[in-house]
Amino acid sequence: MDSTTITEKETVTVEELRKKYENVESEIADSDSTWDKVKNMIKSNKLAAFSLVVILIFCFCAIFAPFVAPHDPTVQDYGNVRARPSSEHILGTDELGRDVLSRIIYGARISLVIGLVPTTISMIIGTILGLMAGFLGKKVDFVIMRLADIMLAFPSLLLAMVVMYTLGASLINIFIALSVVSWAGTARVVRSQTLALKEKEFVEAAVSVGVKKSVIMLRHIFPNCLPSLIVLFTMNIPGSILSESSLSFLGIGAQPPASSWGLMVVNGKQWLFSEPWIAIAPGIAILIIVLAFNFLGDGLRDAIDPYMKE
């Protein structure tokens, strides 16, 4: 067999791979978009749809708090301290006579932002590093994973405390602290899925036809990691809210007169057995938003994950 015949066979093989790759690209383009899948999820999964409505209500109240809150959350009424729930104060008042419901509504601003912003930043960092570690391998994988091991070797709350004590107590520093300590888990999950996906036929075909590595990671591997990332996102949001509560308990979280839910729980715990509404009401708000994000995440995972289609 001469070299010309071998070259022709190799050309045919490459051309077949290219055609298969183009066919896969066209199928992906013709398939339902993510928005179509979300709409189908809303129609089929009532619990996830209800959870989405709950989250939107909380977001609406946070954005339009001055119009929704019945009272000014900073006004102190010393003649009405720790008053029981009534028609004037639906959830009662706190230790300074401030309306608890109004403080919960305003506190949604800080708690939701603390839940969403650091989680989003840490997810972006972890996803990028996980894709690089899994796909590029070798030294890149070794350096990133050893750094992740160092981060995971220490309790996340302890690392957040170190960052907060170093930078000082402020909302921006909370974002930095929670973002820095939370990316390692995401990086490990994305790396493990990237290692499995890089052996798939569609990735090998893309490599064979000369598609850039960055395009393969972002266009072919990253979408297949989305279901796991959605679940992680819904789990990390309540984790960030609770971490802020712990930092507030130590005096380095949200600072008065801010009314984050965690700070309200910490301030009201000393009256838990005499005036329980002061701590229980913001605690219930945390519980509701945690469950809503979890149920919504499960619904989105079922709708987006290609392995869970009928």
Side-chain angles (χ1 to χ4, degrees):
M1 184 179 295
D2 56 7
S3 59
T4 306
T5 305
I6 296 176
T7 304
E8 290 177 355
K9 288 185 177 181
E10 290 178 349
T11 304
V12 171
T13 303
V14 173
E15 288 298 325
E16 289 177 352
L17 287 173
R18 188 180 297 276
K19 289 180 180 179
K20 290 181 180 180
Y21 176 71
E22 291 175 353
N23 291 335
V24 171
E25 288 285 286
S26 62
E27 291 177 3
I28 293 174
D30 295 335
S31 62
D32 292 339
S33 64
T34 302
W35 175 241
D36 293 331
K37 296 176 182 178
V38 171
K39 290 192 291 185
N40 293 331
M41 180 273 296
I42 293 175
K43 294 178 181 178
S44 60
N45 193 327
K46 302 302 181 183
L47 182 58
F50 178 75
S51 300
L52 177 60
V53 172
V54 171
I55 294 172
L56 292 177
I57 290 175
F58 272 93
C59 293
F60 176 85
C61 292
I63 295 172
F64 298 100
F67 305 99
V68 177
H71 300 277
D72 189 332
T74 61
V75 173
Q76 303 176 7
D77 184 3
Y78 292 104
N80 204 18
V81 172
R82 300 195 299 276
R84 294 182 176 275
S86 61
S87 57
E88 182 180 1
H89 301 284
I90 298 176
L91 295 180
T93 62
D94 63 5
E95 70 278 8
L96 297 177
R98 297 171 296 188
D99 184 67
V100 173
L101 176 59
S102 299
R103 288 180 60 77
I104 290 177
I105 293 174
Y106 274 85
R109 289 181 166 183
I110 296 178
S111 295
L112 290 177
V113 169
I114 289 176
L116 291 170
V117 174
T119 301
T120 302
I121 296 173
S122 64
M123 293 286 288
I124 293 173
I125 296 173
T127 300
I128 294 174
L129 294 179
L131 287 172
M132 293 175 60
F135 192 78
L136 300 180
K138 298 181 180 179
K139 293 182 178 180
V140 175
D141 183 22
F142 179 82
V143 172
I144 293 176
M145 286 300 101
R146 297 298 75 76
L147 183 59
D149 290 339
I150 294 174
M151 299 297 297
L152 294 173
F154 297 94
S156 58
L157 183 59
L158 178 61
L159 289 177
M161 289 169 54
V162 172
V163 176
M164 290 300 297
Y165 277 119
T166 303
L167 301 179
S170 69
L171 191 60
I172 301 298
N173 292 340
I174 292 177
F175 293 163
I176 297 174
L178 296 180
S179 301
V180 167
V181 303
S182 303
W183 64 268
T186 302
R188 276 194 167 278
V189 172
V190 174
R191 172 186 177 269
S192 64
Q193 293 197 333
T194 302
L195 289 174
L197 290 168
K198 69 185 293 187
E199 304 297 332
K200 299 293 185 180
E201 290 79 2
F202 65 93
V203 175
E204 293 180 348
V207 174
S208 301
V209 298
V211 180
K212 294 181 179 180
K213 293 182 179 180
S214 59
V215 175
I216 295 175
M217 286 190 290
L218 295 177
R219 191 169 184 179
H220 299 288
I221 296 179
F222 172 70
N224 289 279
C225 297
L226 272 178
S228 298
L229 291 174
I230 290 172
V231 175
L232 283 175
F233 186 73
T234 57
M235 293 176 61
N236 290 343
I237 288 177
S240 296
I241 295 175
L242 294 176
S243 295
E244 185 275 330
S245 302
S246 301
L247 294 174
S248 298
F249 178 80
L250 298 172
I252 52 177
Q255 299 299 305
S259 56
S260 73
W261 294 338
L263 183 60
M264 293 179 66
V265 172
V266 171
N267 291 337
K269 64 181 176 60
Q270 55 185 318
W271 293 285
L272 186 60
F273 296 101
S274 57
E275 290 86 17
W277 58 85
I278 301 177
I280 290 178
I284 292 176
I286 295 175
L287 174 64
I288 292 174
I289 200 67
V290 167
L291 291 176
F293 273 111
N294 285 333
F295 289 139
L296 178 61
D298 290 339
L300 290 175
R301 180 199 59 193
D302 296 344
I304 295 175
D305 193 347
Y307 296 105
M308 301 191 70
K309 290 183 178 180
E310 295 181 359

